[in-house]
């Protein structure tokens, strides 16, 4: 995936996150990109505290595409996946992850917000515990401020 594709896909995932907030959900968005690195196969905003955008998208993808095909795809998400989401991506056999902002940066923005008890467990650590190598691209400085702005506005709202 070229740097231009990475940025374009992350901006689309952030638009999905923005839509999630319009629906009263947390500002997380994810997309599934086909092996051609251009075609977006699916989009998913955050649903709730246990149905995160990335895990929900990975489950839907696994029910709709063959594992060998998914291995060539990329899950593109606004924020580094938590341990649950990284594990779901691993089991769904999606071979590449692209994320814009780290989980640690998210924690700085949310603080100890009761609706987002962020875990300081990098997705690379989760993937490293597995038997297959998931390619990880992120964080991406070119879009981090755009993604952070959505979270700053959301978590500080009354």
């Amino acid at each position: 995936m070229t740097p231009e594709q990475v940025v374009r896909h992350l901006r689309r995932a952030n638009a999905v996150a923005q839509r999630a907030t319009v629906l009263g959900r947390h500002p997380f968005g994810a997309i599934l990109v086909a092996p051609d690195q251009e075609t977006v196969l699916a989009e998913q905003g955050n649903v709730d505290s246990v149905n995160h955008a990335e895990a929900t998208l990975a489950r839907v993808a696994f029910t709709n595409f063959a594992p060998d095909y998914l291995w060539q795809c990329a899950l593109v998400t606004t924020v580094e996946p938590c341990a649950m989401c990284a594990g779901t991506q691993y089991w769904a056999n999606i071979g590449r992850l692209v994320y814009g902002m780290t989980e640690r940066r998210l924690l700085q923005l949310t603080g100890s917000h009761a609706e987002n008890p962020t875990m300081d467990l990098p997705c690379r650590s989760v993937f490293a515990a597995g038997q297959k190598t998931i390619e990880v691209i992120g964080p991406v400085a070119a879009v981090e401020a755009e993604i952070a702005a959505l979270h700053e506005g959301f978590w500080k709202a009354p």
Side-chain angles (χ1 to χ4, degrees):
M1 192 174 290
T2 68
E4 294 79 18
Q5 289 170 318
V6 165
V7 168
R8 184 168 17 90
H9 290 316
L10 282 167
R11 285 188 171 134
R12 181 158 176 181
N14 205 37
V16 173
Q18 175 66 43
R19 263 198 328 266
T21 65
V22 171
L23 297 171
R25 299 176 179 156
H26 297 163
F28 300 97
I31 63 174
L32 182 67
V33 178
D36 68 4
Q37 307 306 313
E38 285 294 330
T39 306
V40 175
L41 301 168
E43 300 182 335
Q44 181 65 55
N46 209 61
V47 178
D48 57 36
S49 295
V50 295
N51 292 291
H52 296 176
E54 304 88 349
T56 301
L57 182 66
R59 284 186 206 100
V60 169
F62 191 74
T63 63
N64 287 284
F65 299 100
D68 289 345
Y69 181 78
L70 286 173
W71 186 251
Q72 301 170 65
C73 292
L75 190 154
V76 179
T77 184
T78 52
V79 178
E80 178 179 14
C82 71
M84 173 181 69
C85 293
T88 305
Q89 177 179 350
Y90 177 88
W91 288 108
N93 210 49
I94 302 170
R96 177 180 294 131
L97 169 69
V98 177
Y99 70 88
M101 183 174 73
T102 65
E103 183 85 353
R104 188 166 284 170
R105 176 70 176 118
L106 177 65
L107 177 58
Q108 292 170 351
L109 297 170
T110 63
S112 61
H113 199 286
E115 292 182 28
N116 193 45
T118 303
M119 298 175 72
D120 188 12
L121 179 59
C123 66
R124 285 177 171 91
S125 297
V126 174
F127 294 144
Q131 297 179 34
K132 52 189 172 184
T133 303
I134 306 291
E135 178 186 356
V136 179
I137 300 169
V140 179
V143 295
E144 184 175 345
E146 297 168 42
I147 293 167
L150 187 57
H151 287 272
E152 288 166 349
F154 183 87
W155 300 107
K156 296 201 188 304

